[in-house]
Amino acid sequence: MRLALALLALLMTAPEETRAQVMTFEELDGWTEDDPRPALTAFLETCDMLKDPVWAPLCGLARDAGGTAESARAYFEMFYRPVLVGNPPALFTGYYEPVLDGSLTRTSRYRYPIYARPPELRDGMVYHSRSQIEAGAISGRGLEIAWLEDPVEVFFLHIQGSGRIRLPDGRMIRVGYGGKNGHAYRSVGQEMVRRGTHTPDQVSAQAIRSWVRSNPGPGHAMLDTNPSYVFFRRLPDLAAHKGPIGAMGRSITGMRSIAIDPRFNPLGAPVWIEKDGRNPLRQVMIAQDTGGAIKGAQRADIFFGTGDEAGDAAGTIKDGGRMLLLLPIDLAYAMNPDG
């Protein structure tokens, strides 16, 4: 059980705040109200990629477990246990797949490029910063995948990591994460708070967009305080109903996939989230993605789906709560032998 040994080794040497506690389903707030069938569908998207032998029979059983909400819930109750890793409160944020207008060639309207990963860039290498790239450090090399009309939307496409680009002839292309420049991610929202342009409760994706567009000079300088820069790759054609490609190389599912820190939450595993805030969520999600700003055992980014409506919902999320891994029984108790 390679996964069991890896997680156990991590948690046995981790600080106290990242130790594991096995719990019961009765202790989960709202467990009986969720319909886990969409989560099982999302789980089946990637469960064949879970190489540890502990998952293989569970993946097979999941294919027959989703007939009703009750049978899907019984599947989890029979074969899994909730495991609390880390110390709540959690921090939940949201992301989405934008749909943007663009062109495959530069025009007077579409002037702001998104780039493919330069061939000389190696993993772990520190490359040109955001401001240097925006100033033209790699322009004219044929790395441009597409051109967009709004530099603010280019910035937020970097934050989301994937998107759909609607071309002038109506065709749609999809782009996904292709690498980054090796600089650490810095939160523009936190910088705005530090400089006094906003208070913490005022910061959201919508607020950042509005402020930068209203203050183009200082606004773009503010964006450049995040030196991290994302490169993209053009994705093969996907069915319109399919989500973008996540960290596991498969499509993720709106409102059932989350990005996590894989040091504490294994990719592909089911996770129970209890997100508080204005629109609380209590449901099974699948850990199928990662993100540069997603650090810690109690940290998750919820994928809200595709388009403006999903973006409006995702951009306002910054809520507490807690999250628990749903792990196969033997693995759960192996992580907490004294629990």
Side-chain angles (χ1 to χ4, degrees), residues 36-59:
R37 286 177 292 178
L40 277 181
T41 300
F43 177 63
L44 290 170
E45 186 77 29
T46 52
C47 70
D48 65 306
M49 302 179 68
L50 300 172
K51 301 304 182 185
D52 194 296
V54 71
W55 293 104
L58 299 181
C59 187

mmCIF file of all heavy atoms in Angstrom, residues 36-59:
data_model
loop_
_atom_site.group_PDB
_atom_site.id
_atom_site.type_symbol
_atom_site.label_atom_id
_atom_site.label_comp_id
_atom_site.label_asym_id
_atom_site.label_seq_id
_atom_site.Cartn_x
_atom_site.Cartn_y
_atom_site.Cartn_z
ATOM 1 N N PRO A 36 -24.445 12.169 -3.290
ATOM 2 C CA PRO A 36 -23.052 11.979 -3.731
ATOM 3 C C PRO A 36 -22.897 11.455 -5.152
ATOM 4 O O PRO A 36 -21.766 11.246 -5.597
ATOM 5 C CB PRO A 36 -22.502 10.943 -2.726
ATOM 6 C CG PRO A 36 -23.549 10.765 -1.675
ATOM 7 C CD PRO A 36 -24.844 11.148 -2.327
ATOM 8 N N ARG A 37 -23.992 11.224 -5.873
ATOM 9 C CA ARG A 37 -23.863 10.637 -7.202
ATOM 10 C C ARG A 37 -23.001 11.472 -8.154
ATOM 11 O O ARG A 37 -22.161 10.904 -8.872
ATOM 12 C CB ARG A 37 -25.255 10.383 -7.805
ATOM 13 C CG ARG A 37 -25.964 9.192 -7.174
ATOM 14 C CD ARG A 37 -27.356 9.010 -7.745
ATOM 15 N NE ARG A 37 -28.245 10.112 -7.353
ATOM 16 C CZ ARG A 37 -29.503 10.227 -7.749
ATOM 17 N NH1 ARG A 37 -30.017 9.305 -8.565
ATOM 18 N NH2 ARG A 37 -30.248 11.236 -7.334
ATOM 19 N N PRO A 38 -23.145 12.810 -8.215
ATOM 20 C CA PRO A 38 -22.239 13.567 -9.091
ATOM 21 C C PRO A 38 -20.774 13.434 -8.688
ATOM 22 O O PRO A 38 -19.887 13.462 -9.542
ATOM 23 C CB PRO A 38 -22.734 15.014 -8.941
ATOM 24 C CG PRO A 38 -24.157 14.894 -8.482
ATOM 25 C CD PRO A 38 -24.189 13.675 -7.620
ATOM 26 N N ALA A 39 -20.521 13.280 -7.392
ATOM 27 C CA ALA A 39 -19.145 13.081 -6.940
ATOM 28 C C ALA A 39 -18.610 11.735 -7.409
ATOM 29 O O ALA A 39 -17.442 11.621 -7.795
ATOM 30 C CB ALA A 39 -19.061 13.193 -5.423
ATOM 31 N N LEU A 40 -19.445 10.700 -7.389
ATOM 32 C CA LEU A 40 -19.012 9.397 -7.894
ATOM 33 C C LEU A 40 -18.681 9.474 -9.391
ATOM 34 O O LEU A 40 -17.713 8.874 -9.852
ATOM 35 C CB LEU A 40 -20.093 8.345 -7.659
ATOM 36 C CG LEU A 40 -20.144 7.685 -6.282
ATOM 37 C CD1 LEU A 40 -21.258 6.649 -6.245
ATOM 38 C CD2 LEU A 40 -18.805 7.030 -5.937
ATOM 39 N N THR A 41 -19.482 10.224 -10.149
ATOM 40 C CA THR A 41 -19.205 10.393 -11.574
ATOM 41 C C THR A 41 -17.854 11.067 -11.774
ATOM 42 O O THR A 41 -17.058 10.665 -12.637
ATOM 43 C CB THR A 41 -20.320 11.215 -12.238
ATOM 44 O OG1 THR A 41 -21.567 10.532 -12.088
ATOM 45 C CG2 THR A 41 -20.041 11.412 -13.721
ATOM 46 N N ALA A 42 -17.599 12.111 -10.973
ATOM 47 C CA ALA A 42 -16.304 12.794 -11.053
ATOM 48 C C ALA A 42 -15.173 11.860 -10.630
ATOM 49 O O ALA A 42 -14.093 11.853 -11.236
ATOM 50 C CB ALA A 42 -16.321 14.050 -10.182
ATOM 51 N N PHE A 43 -15.386 11.073 -9.583
ATOM 52 C CA PHE A 43 -14.389 10.118 -9.102
ATOM 53 C C PHE A 43 -14.006 9.131 -10.201
ATOM 54 O O PHE A 43 -12.828 8.806 -10.399
ATOM 55 C CB PHE A 43 -14.946 9.398 -7.878
ATOM 56 C CG PHE A 43 -14.051 8.332 -7.303
ATOM 57 C CD1 PHE A 43 -12.810 8.638 -6.779
ATOM 58 C CD2 PHE A 43 -14.469 7.008 -7.277
ATOM 59 C CE1 PHE A 43 -11.986 7.647 -6.237
ATOM 60 C CE2 PHE A 43 -13.668 6.012 -6.735
ATOM 61 C CZ PHE A 43 -12.424 6.334 -6.214
ATOM 62 N N LEU A 44 -15.006 8.644 -10.942
ATOM 63 C CA LEU A 44 -14.752 7.674 -11.999
ATOM 64 C C LEU A 44 -13.948 8.263 -13.156
ATOM 65 O O LEU A 44 -13.347 7.523 -13.940
ATOM 66 C CB LEU A 44 -16.074 7.110 -12.521
ATOM 67 C CG LEU A 44 -16.806 6.182 -11.542
ATOM 68 C CD1 LEU A 44 -18.212 5.881 -12.042
ATOM 69 C CD2 LEU A 44 -16.017 4.887 -11.346
ATOM 70 N N GLU A 45 -13.921 9.592 -13.263
ATOM 71 C CA GLU A 45 -13.126 10.246 -14.309
ATOM 72 C C GLU A 45 -11.636 9.957 -14.146
ATOM 73 O O GLU A 45 -10.897 9.882 -15.132
ATOM 74 C CB GLU A 45 -13.376 11.758 -14.284
ATOM 75 C CG GLU A 45 -12.726 12.540 -15.400
ATOM 76 C CD GLU A 45 -13.455 12.423 -16.726
ATOM 77 O OE1 GLU A 45 -14.689 12.233 -16.732
ATOM 78 O OE2 GLU A 45 -12.768 12.526 -17.766
ATOM 79 N N THR A 46 -11.197 9.786 -12.898
ATOM 80 C CA THR A 46 -9.758 9.654 -12.644
ATOM 81 C C THR A 46 -9.383 8.450 -11.781
ATOM 82 O O THR A 46 -8.197 8.222 -11.541
ATOM 83 C CB THR A 46 -9.222 10.924 -11.950
ATOM 84 O OG1 THR A 46 -10.033 11.220 -10.802
ATOM 85 C CG2 THR A 46 -9.235 12.119 -12.888
ATOM 86 N N CYS A 47 -10.338 7.662 -11.318
ATOM 87 C CA CYS A 47 -9.983 6.623 -10.344
ATOM 88 C C CYS A 47 -9.086 5.545 -10.931
ATOM 89 O O CYS A 47 -8.331 4.897 -10.203
ATOM 90 C CB CYS A 47 -11.232 6.009 -9.714
ATOM 91 S SG CYS A 47 -12.220 4.995 -10.827
ATOM 92 N N ASP A 48 -9.114 5.341 -12.245
ATOM 93 C CA ASP A 48 -8.221 4.351 -12.842
ATOM 94 C C ASP A 48 -6.763 4.787 -12.798
ATOM 95 O O ASP A 48 -5.863 3.984 -13.044
ATOM 96 C CB ASP A 48 -8.634 4.069 -14.286
ATOM 97 C CG ASP A 48 -8.461 5.290 -15.178
ATOM 98 O OD1 ASP A 48 -9.003 6.361 -14.834
ATOM 99 O OD2 ASP A 48 -7.786 5.186 -16.216
ATOM 100 N N MET A 49 -6.522 6.066 -12.470
ATOM 101 C CA MET A 49 -5.153 6.580 -12.388
ATOM 102 C C MET A 49 -4.553 6.406 -10.993
ATOM 103 O O MET A 49 -3.371 6.682 -10.793
ATOM 104 C CB MET A 49 -5.128 8.059 -12.772
ATOM 105 C CG MET A 49 -5.662 8.342 -14.164
ATOM 106 S SD MET A 49 -5.642 10.095 -14.553
ATOM 107 C CE MET A 49 -3.875 10.402 -14.631
ATOM 108 N N LEU A 50 -5.357 5.968 -10.028
ATOM 109 C CA LEU A 50 -4.869 5.759 -8.667
ATOM 110 C C LEU A 50 -4.174 4.405 -8.620
ATOM 111 O O LEU A 50 -4.820 3.366 -8.583
ATOM 112 C CB LEU A 50 -6.030 5.825 -7.672
ATOM 113 C CG LEU A 50 -6.790 7.164 -7.665
ATOM 114 C CD1 LEU A 50 -8.039 7.076 -6.803
ATOM 115 C CD2 LEU A 50 -5.900 8.284 -7.184
ATOM 116 N N LYS A 51 -2.863 4.433 -8.634
ATOM 117 C CA LYS A 51 -2.087 3.210 -8.842
ATOM 118 C C LYS A 51 -1.964 2.343 -7.595
ATOM 119 O O LYS A 51 -1.685 1.149 -7.701
ATOM 120 C CB LYS A 51 -0.688 3.567 -9.359
ATOM 121 C CG LYS A 51 -0.703 4.344 -10.677
ATOM 122 C CD LYS A 51 -1.460 3.602 -11.769
ATOM 123 C CE LYS A 51 -1.428 4.347 -13.091
ATOM 124 N NZ LYS A 51 -2.259 3.686 -14.125
ATOM 125 N N ASP A 52 -2.146 2.917 -6.415
ATOM 126 C CA ASP A 52 -2.047 2.102 -5.204
ATOM 127 C C ASP A 52 -3.135 1.029 -5.230
ATOM 128 O O ASP A 52 -4.301 1.317 -5.520
ATOM 129 C CB ASP A 52 -2.208 2.990 -3.972
ATOM 130 C CG ASP A 52 -1.783 2.298 -2.698
ATOM 131 O OD1 ASP A 52 -2.434 1.298 -2.336
ATOM 132 O OD2 ASP A 52 -0.807 2.739 -2.077
ATOM 133 N N PRO A 53 -2.794 -0.222 -4.947
ATOM 134 C CA PRO A 53 -3.776 -1.317 -5.030
ATOM 135 C C PRO A 53 -5.005 -1.112 -4.154
ATOM 136 O O PRO A 53 -6.051 -1.713 -4.437
ATOM 137 C CB PRO A 53 -2.975 -2.538 -4.571
ATOM 138 C CG PRO A 53 -1.550 -2.190 -4.837
ATOM 139 C CD PRO A 53 -1.443 -0.711 -4.616
ATOM 140 N N VAL A 54 -4.921 -0.295 -3.119
ATOM 141 C CA VAL A 54 -6.056 -0.104 -2.228
ATOM 142 C C VAL A 54 -7.267 0.484 -2.958
ATOM 143 O O VAL A 54 -8.415 0.255 -2.566
ATOM 144 C CB VAL A 54 -5.657 0.789 -1.030
ATOM 145 C CG1 VAL A 54 -5.442 2.234 -1.472
ATOM 146 C CG2 VAL A 54 -6.697 0.738 0.074
ATOM 147 N N TRP A 55 -7.023 1.210 -4.077
ATOM 148 C CA TRP A 55 -8.120 1.888 -4.756
ATOM 149 C C TRP A 55 -8.811 1.030 -5.807
ATOM 150 O O TRP A 55 -9.965 1.298 -6.161
ATOM 151 C CB TRP A 55 -7.605 3.167 -5.429
ATOM 152 C CG TRP A 55 -7.163 4.222 -4.474
ATOM 153 C CD1 TRP A 55 -5.883 4.563 -4.160
ATOM 154 C CD2 TRP A 55 -8.001 5.086 -3.699
ATOM 155 N NE1 TRP A 55 -5.868 5.586 -3.235
ATOM 156 C CE2 TRP A 55 -7.149 5.924 -2.942
ATOM 157 C CE3 TRP A 55 -9.381 5.234 -3.576
ATOM 158 C CZ2 TRP A 55 -7.645 6.898 -2.072
ATOM 159 C CZ3 TRP A 55 -9.882 6.200 -2.711
ATOM 160 C CH2 TRP A 55 -9.015 7.018 -1.975
ATOM 161 N N ALA A 56 -8.117 0.053 -6.351
ATOM 162 C CA ALA A 56 -8.654 -0.676 -7.507
ATOM 163 C C ALA A 56 -10.036 -1.283 -7.257
ATOM 164 O O ALA A 56 -10.962 -1.072 -8.054
ATOM 165 C CB ALA A 56 -7.657 -1.736 -7.962
ATOM 166 N N PRO A 57 -10.245 -2.044 -6.174
ATOM 167 C CA PRO A 57 -11.585 -2.603 -5.973
ATOM 168 C C PRO A 57 -12.630 -1.527 -5.706
ATOM 169 O O PRO A 57 -13.799 -1.685 -6.102
ATOM 170 C CB PRO A 57 -11.406 -3.527 -4.759
ATOM 171 C CG PRO A 57 -10.185 -3.026 -4.061
ATOM 172 C CD PRO A 57 -9.299 -2.495 -5.135
ATOM 173 N N LEU A 58 -12.237 -0.434 -5.049
ATOM 174 C CA LEU A 58 -13.196 0.636 -4.758
ATOM 175 C C LEU A 58 -13.619 1.355 -6.025
ATOM 176 O O LEU A 58 -14.768 1.788 -6.156
ATOM 177 C CB LEU A 58 -12.589 1.620 -3.761
ATOM 178 C CG LEU A 58 -12.220 1.031 -2.395
ATOM 179 C CD1 LEU A 58 -11.641 2.104 -1.489
ATOM 180 C CD2 LEU A 58 -13.431 0.380 -1.748
ATOM 181 N N CYS A 59 -12.690 1.476 -6.949
ATOM 182 C CA CYS A 59 -13.024 2.088 -8.233
ATOM 183 C C CYS A 59 -14.051 1.221 -8.973
ATOM 184 O O CYS A 59 -15.026 1.730 -9.538
ATOM 185 C CB CYS A 59 -11.741 2.240 -9.056
ATOM 186 S SG CYS A 59 -11.928 3.150 -10.596
#
